[in-house]
Amino acid sequence: MTQIQQINRLAGGARVDSDGVINFTYNGRPMQGVSGDTLASALLANGVDVVGRSFKYGRARGIVGHGAEEPNAIMQIGSGASSVPNLKATQVELYEGLESAPVNGWPSVDFDLMSIAGFFSRLMPPGFYYKTFMYPAKLWMTYEHFIRRAAGLGRSPVGDDPDSYDKLNQHADVLVIGAGPAGLMAAREAARAGARVMIVDEQSEFGGSLLASTQTIENRSASAWVDLMVAELKTFANLQMLPRSTAFGYYDHNFIGILERRSDHLSLSAATGSRQRLHRVRAKRVVLATGAFERPLVFAHNDIPGVMQASSVSTYVNRYGVAPGSRMVLFTCNDSAYQTALDWHGAGRTVVAIVDSRAEPNGAMLAAVEALGMEVMLGCAVIEAQGGKRVKRALVAPINAQGTEVVGSVQRIACDLIACSGGWSPAIHLSSHTGAKPQWDEAIVGFKPGTSTQQECSAGACAGTYRLSECFAEGAQAGAQAAHKSGFGSGVGLFPQPPVEEHDEYPQQALFLVPHTQRSTRAPSQFVDMQLDVTAGSIEIAVREGFESIEHIKRYTALGFGTDQGKLGNINGMAILAKALGQSMAETGTTIFRPAYTPTTFGAIAGRDIGELFDPQRHTAMHRWHLARGAEFEDVGQWKRPWYYPRSRASGGVESLREAVDRECLAVRNSVGILDASTLGKIDIQGPDTAEFITRMYTNSYLKLAPGKCRYGVMLKEDGMIFDDGVCACLGDNHYLMYTTTGGAAGVLAWLELWQQTEWPDMQVYFTSVTDHWSTATISGPNARRVLAKVCDDIDLDRQAFGFMDWRDGTVAGVAARVFRISFTGELSYEINVPAHYGRHLWEALIAAGEAFDITPYGTESMHVLRAEKGFIIVGQDTDGSMTPADMNMDWVVAKNKTFSFIGKRSLQRSDALRDQRKQFVGLKPLNPNDVLPEGAQVVFDPQQPIPMSMQGHVTSSYYSANLGHAFALAVIKGGINRMGQVVHCPLADGRILAAEIVSSVFYDPEGARQHVE
Amino acid sequence: MSNNISMETPLMHAYGNFSHHEYSAGGEIAFGELLFDLVVKEMPLCSHLNIRGDAGDDAFCAGILQVLGIALPTQPGHYHTSRTHSLYWLGPDDWLLVSRADSIDLQAQLRAALSGHLSIVDVAGGQTIINLRGSAVALNTLLKKSSLYDFGGWGTAVEGGGRCVQTTFAKASAVVANRPDGSYELVVRRTFADYIARWLLDAGSEFGCRIEGELGA
Amino acid sequence: MKKYSGFSLFSNALSYHENWQKIWRSPKPKREYDVIVVGGGGHGLATAYYLAKVHGITNVAVVEKGYLGGGNTARNTTIIRSNYLWDEAAQLYELALKLWEGLSQELNYNVMFSQRGVLNLGHNLQDMRDIERRVNANRLNGIDGEVVTPARIKEIAPLINISPDCRYPIIGASWQPRGGTARHDAVAWGYARGADALGVDMIQQTEVTGIRRENGTVVGVETTEGFIGARKVACVTAGNSGVVAAMAGLRLPVESRPLQALVSEPVKPCLDTVVMSNAVHGYVSQSDKGDLVIGAGVDGYNGYGQRGSFHVIEHTLQAICELFPAFSRVRMNRQWGGVVDTCPDACPIISKTSVGGLYFNCGWGTGGFKATPGSGYVFADTVANDRPHPLAAPFDVDRFNTGALIDEHGAAGVAH
Amino acid sequence: MLLIHCPHCREDREEEEFSYNGEAHIVRPLDPESLSDEAWGDYLFFRKNPRGVHREMWYHAVGCRRYFYAARNTLSYEILHTYCVGEKPQIDAANEGAGA
Ligand SMILES: Cc1cc2nc3c(=O)[nH]c(=O)nc-3n(C[C@H](O)[C@H](O)[C@H](O)COP(=O)(O)OP(=O)(O)OC[C@H]3O[C@@H](n4cnc5c(N)ncnc54)[C@H](O)[C@@H]3O)c2cc1C
Ligand SMILES: NC(=O)c1ccc[n+]([C@@H]2O[C@H](COP(=O)([O-])OP(=O)(O)OC[C@H]3O[C@@H](n4cnc5c(N)ncnc54)[C@H](O)[C@@H]3O)[C@@H](O)[C@H]2O)c1
Ligand SMILES: Cc1cc2nc3c(=O)[nH]c(=O)nc-3n(C[C@H](O)[C@H](O)[C@H](O)COP(=O)(O)O)c2cc1C
Ligand SMILES: [Zn+2]
């Protein structure tokens, strides 16, 4: 394909560097732009008219805007994993090697088969899909399949994102959003007052609309004035300046999200560091100086490429040195757009006509164009554009003074560009995010920011102030005030007001929908929301159908649903609705503005917290040993816990889970095993009221627990349901150590603090988390004492002297240790605690000491099997937040006669807790000894009953026990405790039905003899 | 306790992965050498005690002063320090004492000097101190990346003390304090230390960041 | 009511769509109704529809303070499934799912119920136990469901990351093929149109400000437009239930919390099912327009602001990027919040009250959209007969006194 | 995104440091056993849940680990006042109104 020349590029004068040639591709075609271009300006320079196809009707669409408001020029940028869908060409800075392609149009944007749908567009009124595709019912999924084919704009990449993103938590006294004249003045005043100031702007450079202005400020061009101003701002050390940074959301308590694009404007090879950075800004005061959007004029076929916003035409000419056409018709209802005629003329192009809807405007602007000999058609409107892929002519007709009817004959004026201006709409988006309700202002014919609940103010065009001198003044005042209110300066501006050349404007006309010779439902489509193909007619149809709220109109027609969120046409749509209902704009109101102001990258919102940093991984002090031993790990909360330690099989390969667990369990029962139990939560509790306090928290009593002793306890929530369990040790007078479950540690501490601090502040008790301080190695098995004896000679290990549920201080492997004789396996066990810096040392010393006994490290899986053989519960596995101690057959742990009604006690007396058919904790012995019932299997009495079956409970824990030589399970079953010996069934998804007998939950050593081996 | 017992610092696991010559990319190259603007260093292990008591009790305050030679910080967000001890405000009745003195002796002295309702808990095994040093820009940026807290108003610490805060650090938490030399110290929990080290290396990579350890394994 | 069809669409096109019937009338309120339904969300509208359709009670008004379907109905992520754990909940949601399956035809309004299946992911052993338990219970309750492997998950959602090396790898999921999504607005409009055709009055932009009682029985409601008499008042006001209950001097075991959601810009179809993850907390589907519809977590505090905290969104997108690394470069187009009324056991309240003629249907929390037809059906029955419908009985508010909670929190996975 | 003044740290701190603990000033009945199921159920589960000023409990979890109270408007999210346990609130109930 041949390279298109930059046929629309003007020579010099603009802010682009015409020598800095940049190569890029569009739809695979190589093109050139210049440094300073956006993709949009470069495409226009290259004479590209059609940049996409509309999604419903497949109509050809061209560039209409120059910034965040652009609805049509939606591009896929880049390729492969670093491709980005849906960028607006008007916001993409050109860089060497940029690849771009339109997102819609098949087989191509220039020839789109979907556009045939245009002929059928009358069959697609708003909401047509609700009215059809219903019969026959089963075909809907097929219809939907085809509807979905048409869905979407660009494509999501399919590969992993090669870029990284980060975040900064920023704190500012004054945050200024928008660096146009108002924002620049505000930042300068606030910085001068000494406040910590940030100023951000979404564009590549500061200056806002001044970058495209031909006004003179302080005897300089606006553009030169901006450069000077920016240089001055750079001298403030307390001012942070962020270009390419979009404030996308204004949240509560002056929290603002800002997305900085750090390398999107660089070619792939030049980009380093994070691609985008999210600034999470907490500001004392915010100055909004976000400017205004020019409103479109809605007339028939106003979507043909070559219909553009007047200010955008000026911007392309003045800022980018591009004239997107040659013969322009300017269509306006206000004075500001006359500047575009002057700019176009200045670019050496032809202004065919100025069509002004106002019957008799006058003033400086009119005089200026007339002086240049331009034809001005007053009281007229462009009622229709004609052309296919580019405007060929404008149909112009006189209209009445209210702007509601065509009152004369239609003229056809040949042109290739129609520049339009329907007035201005303040960019009140951010202000509205705070919940401030927009206020309609007849004087500016627009919505102004409402009264805000946040510490902010709006200045400049976003507040409806359009004169440059007033923007300056308002900005300066806002900056000085914001600084003052956050504690800096007097609140009065210090800098003199820059003198500007400006003139008075004649009042605009409110013209939201341009009349046609036919009414809107019949006229050629008059587009309000181009991205979603919403027309004036479709809004009127929706009203006729009974949708009267603006919110219903939005949802029925999809007005403002697009990636531009209706920045261009929303106000027109509201006005069309207001007119159809015969009510005022104020009564009609707006839809709700929500973040994001412009679309914001998921990856940037996620930041660095992905991959291994998604959530902290917690390790114990022995972790490296486990790794070296090839342990498999289980995620328990944030912890990585050894799950099992597979060994190489003699026969080759590595042990399976079952093989490893069988071996580990047998080792514990027959000799000795070692478990890393460091993850258990531990809370040190001190103070005169400690025993009373924990007696209130647990179901049993600790008032008589002597130093040196431990006790197992269960904690309930006030609803009577089991919430945590563990052992509590009395360390001394008024001093206890509480163990919690691994997952429960933080919750239990907060729970204790809650009661102490808010309910019983007079109870003298302090809590300190010592979970991380201690490393715990548990040695368990008949040889446990022998192993311990090898590394400990200052504790009397005699089984009488150091009894079950006792603890002792001593020295283990040369380290001061605290040893508990408690057991979760049913075997003789010692839990040895040392400060965690010695954790690995202790572990290795025990492994060495146990060598003679073939000491076997075991993981959580074996630990679960061993405790299940003993019928010990695991809170969260065997209980689910709906189980009481009685349900778990643990009435023995509930002290009935404590003076204080412990937490949860009263709930145990509620009628439902006393119901006899509650689920109760029992054992299950599969009739076939090799059937390991799946955990989560449901239990029924009669497996032949029809569905829905009457479910009696479920399997909570289930294993094969190498010790018992058969599979076994724990379950909760309705009335289970009184059903011992009955056979129940587990119907499984694969069709199997496994039978099991209800037995005691204690499968092993019910007398507890193993605890006390010599 | 015998001297040949090996202690393992909380960051040891991280060293295992990163080794202490390891760094994260992005450091500038000058004279053929990578420059690092940020250094993450785990400080030697020492005594850590959590002290709870009544700041309104003069005897309690006097006892602390008598044993440690520094006043109990009662102003939120401050710490006091001497050559041997640093005492951080954690909450209205909650302090962290970090000390080079022997923990057992220290506890005994404190217990002897203090009376009434209080608690002294050895937490040394559960924590480690990470020193972060580097250029001011790099440090400020790193802190802004890592924590929600506004360190902007702090200034630098002086000899007798400075500012401290217990706050979020990435998805974990830390006590962050400023130092007279412009560096920062993080008191972090042992089991999160590895995560925090990884975070720091990643977040600091734009400046060049390396781990420096004394106890590499 | 004029019927919608391809033919009606064609013939209306000939008259430029100027002659469509109004979807509902906008009548002035009568002085008195047999039943006033307070709240014009999906549940309220469905209640009114079934009152008229099934029970022949047509002298009914729906009083809505804003626009119909503008509450949580307008802002939910539209996930529909019935694979709840407990029998009571499963039966209620399954009734709803069965009604969904014929709803477009029943209402002659295409609610675009799309049975594209729902995956609930498991990331650790306990997740998988819970998934097994729930799926087994579902099957025995006659509800479709399977436990699927990562490989199968990858077939269903090809862009998902099933690498075992991520922080919380996906180790399995439950899969309910009959689950899916529906077009939320259409549900409200379809029910409103259906109810209107049967004579129900839609009273929009009218807020109920008081509930007038005489001798312990309701006699009507005070509204911003004046008093309206009623023999029965059925409150279906979701996040505002506590406020409305207070008007009758009642308290409820609900807390109103912000719940957020967001959509991406539209992208070409790339996710053809609904994916939910409890452990890393995110859920996502792709709408027929192409945007990824993503649900975030419920905020930690009470609020009526229809907005929430940004860190919740951050966390959700971290989860989404973990599950779907490819979506990292896709962009958030819009985010919003709703106010959900959460019950301690994450199950609704469908109940008579201590005030005669006053009924509440609330507490659906983060997951009531899927129940809309079933909820309306059993509530209408309860109101019409002044006794709980059998499926509604377990959801009586009295369960908070007796302790007979139906705890869907712990074991049933995500509540959306 | 709330910015919450911790009355103990005497600073404004970010929401993420705190956790919420529901309605404040619900006193645990002194003698639970003497209560009816209804009265006990009321204590356990039934809440004011107001649209307007709400007295609530917050926990400075990643900070000083103290619980404290706040008077917050649940509609505007404005925090009128935070205060310590045992402290008298500065704003009296009369000023709180029903909210909007
Ligand atoms: C972000 C988000 C995502 C969700 N995702 C899902 C999901 O994926 N799947 C799912 O099943 N559920 C989901 N839910 C929950 C679901 O949206 C709700 O449970 C359901 O829509 C409730 O319907 P409703 O009709 O009861 O309430 P609403 O639609 O909220 O209707 C209640 C109506 O009552 C009106 N009202 C209130 N007070 C008064 C008064 N005083 N006078 C008059 N009118 C009043 C309100 O204006 C409102 O229109 C989600 C919710 C949210 C917020
Ligand atoms: N004659 C008229 O009728 C008329 C109407 C409107 C504006 N104007 C002129 O426009 C200028 C208005 O000045 P101003 O300073 O108020 O606005 P501006 O348009 O000059 O600057 C606003 C700036 O804010 C930036 N911005 C907007 N939203 C943002 C966000 N969310 N995040 C980051 N940046 C964002 C924009 O990129 C822009 O640079 C004046 O020169 C005025 O005369 C004239
Ligand atoms: C399933 C679903 C899909 C949505 N898709 C879009 C969308 O594509 N574009 C858009 O602007 N908003 C979309 N929204 C959000 C709505 O615009 C709106 O934010 C939401 O209904 C809440 O209403 P409110 O913002 O007016 O309070 C969607 C909402 C839902 C529930
Ligand atoms: Zn605090």
Side-chain angles (χ1 to χ4, degrees), chain A residues 601-894:
Chain A
T601 312
F602 282 5
I605 298 175
R608 277 180 197 286
D609 301 299
I610 52 163
E612 67 169 8
L613 297 175
F614 174 66
D615 204 33
Q617 261 187 30
R618 297 179 71 183
H619 302 139
T620 73
M622 292 79 144
H623 192 72
R624 282 222 281 161
W625 192 93
H626 306 319
L627 281 174
R629 261 311 168 88
E632 291 289 334
F633 291 90
E634 176 186 359
D635 282 309
V636 183
Q638 291 172 323
W639 293 96
K640 287 280 177 197
R641 294 196 69 179
W643 184 20
Y644 62 101
Y645 298 82
R647 285 190 187 162
S648 329
R649 295 194 195 104
S651 59
V654 183
E655 284 176 339
S656 66
L657 170 66
R658 164 81 178 268
E659 288 166 333
V661 167
D662 284 356
R663 173 179 51 72
E664 292 173 10
C665 288
L666 286 171
V668 173
R669 294 277 182 239
N670 298 329
S671 179
V672 62
I674 180 167
L675 173 85
D676 181 354
S678 309
T679 60
L680 285 183
K682 301 164 212 74
I683 301 167
D684 179 285
I685 311 179
Q686 299 184 29
D689 296 317
T690 302
E692 170 64 22
F693 187 89
I694 60 182
T695 298
R696 293 181 180 190
M697 307 307 294
Y698 281 118
T699 56
N700 51 354
S701 175
Y702 291 77
L703 295 175
K704 299 212 178 77
L705 194 66
K709 296 279 177 199
C710 318
R711 181 163 294 165
Y712 170 82
V714 169
M715 258 183 224
L716 312 181
K717 283 268 160 114
E718 275 284 45
D719 64 3
M721 303 304 153
I722 295 176
F723 145 65
D724 206 78
D725 70 344
V727 162
C728 203
C730 179
L731 298 184
D733 288 341
N734 308 328
H735 191 182
Y736 288 72
L737 181 67
M738 176 186 283
Y739 280 80
T740 75
T741 58
T742 296
V748 172
L749 179 59
W751 181 240
L752 302 178
E753 296 274 19
L754 171 70
W755 286 100
Q756 193 277 325
Q757 292 181 28
T758 66
E759 197 74 28
W760 307 310
D762 294 338
M763 288 185 85
Q764 296 198 323
V765 48
Y766 286 125
F767 312 96
T768 308
S769 168
V770 287
T771 304
D772 281 20
H773 175 69
W774 297 104
S775 277
T776 309
T778 298
I779 49 174
S780 188
N783 285 319
R785 185 178 289 122
R786 294 185 188 96
V787 175
L788 183 56
K790 285 193 160 191
V791 285
C792 171
D793 51 19
D794 58 357
I795 300 177
D796 180 354
L797 297 181
D798 176 81
R799 75 178 174 123
Q800 310 292 345
F802 185 178
F804 182 53
M805 297 304 274
D806 285 355
W807 67 268
R808 295 289 178 270
D809 275 340
T811 310
V812 178
V815 182
R818 179 169 291 150
V819 183
F820 292 80
R821 202 186 135 192
I822 51 184
S823 174
F824 200 39
T825 62
E827 300 298 331
L828 172 65
S829 300
Y830 297 93
E831 298 201 346
I832 306 155
N833 295 270
V834 294
H837 304 321
Y838 298 103
R840 194 144 80 101
H841 163 77
L842 169 75
W843 183 268
E844 287 172 356
L846 290 169
I847 295 276
E851 215 180 315
F853 310 98
D854 196 16
I855 191 168
T856 302
Y858 64 101
T860 50
E861 189 68 18
S862 297
M863 183 260 278
H864 283 196
V865 177
L866 294 163
R867 65 83 208 184
E869 288 172 354
K870 286 290 295 172
F872 295 146
I873 65 163
I874 291 197
V875 171
Q877 176 172 340
D878 299 298
T879 68
D880 64 2
S882 67
M883 305 302 287
T884 65
D887 297 342
M888 299 314 284
N889 204 7
M890 289 170 72
D891 254 341
W892 52 268
V893 83
V894 182

Side-chain angles (χ1 to χ4, degrees), chain A residues 137-138 140-152, chain C residues 76-83 97 100-101 110-120 144 146 148 152-153 155-158 174-184 263 267-276 283-294 324 327 369:
Chain A
K138 57 177 187 295
W140 160 243
M141 291 303 289
T142 314
Y143 294 136
E144 189 191 34
H145 182 75
F146 286 100
I147 293 176
R148 277 170 82 79
R149 277 210 188 158
Chain C
N76 77 92
T77 48
T78 79
I79 298 172
I80 295 170
R81 59 185 183 91
S82 66
N83 53 357
L97 184 51
W100 277 114
E101 287 174 329
N110 191 346
V111 300
M112 305 174 111
F113 175 47
S114 169
Q115 292 184 289
R116 60 184 72 171
V118 176
L119 283 170
N120 289 89
D144 61 320
E146 337 166 12
V148 291
R152 176 85 180 99
I153 295 169
E155 278 169 30
I156 298 170
S174 74
W175 166 238
Q176 184 180 25
R178 283 164 66 237
T181 60
R183 179 82 180 93
H184 54 286
V263 286
V267 287
K268 297 272 186 298
C270 58
L271 176 63
D272 205 22
T273 189
V274 180
V275 177
M276 317 176 66
Y283 45 103
V284 55
S285 66
Q286 188 173 21
S287 80
D288 284 349
K289 235 175 84 254
D291 33 305
L292 300 172
V293 180
I294 295 174
F324 294 94
F327 293 163
F369 175 70

Side-chain angles (χ1 to χ4, degrees), chain D residues 5-97:
Chain D
H5 184 85
C6 174
H8 299 287
C9 293
R10 288 184 236 141
E11 278 186 315
D12 293 346
R13 303 280 282 264
E14 295 291 331
E15 174 182 323
E16 290 108 301
E17 293 187 358
F18 299 86
S19 65
Y20 179 75
N21 234 78
E23 187 175 327
H25 309 306
I26 298 174
V27 180
R28 187 173 198 258
L30 282 178
D31 183 7
E33 263 65 52
S34 69
L35 296 185
S36 65
D37 274 5
E38 283 67 35
W40 181 249
D42 198 63
Y43 159 70
L44 283 183
F45 296 123
F46 290 73
R47 297 292 177 260
K48 287 190 191 135
N49 195 24
R51 183 183 168 92
V53 176
H54 188 218
R55 296 312 183 84
E56 55 197 22
M57 227 185 315
W58 288 85
Y59 181 43
H60 197 178
V62 192
C64 64
R65 305 190 59 83
R66 297 300 91 187
Y67 286 83
F68 60 91
Y69 300 132
R72 184 178 59 95
N73 185 313
T74 56
L75 194 60
S76 68
Y77 297 168
E78 185 192 359
I79 298 177
L80 310 174
H81 177 46
T82 55
Y83 53 104
C84 302
V85 175
E87 222 171 68
K88 254 195 122 48
Q90 282 169 12
I91 296 157
D92 61 16
N95 286 337
E96 292 177 4

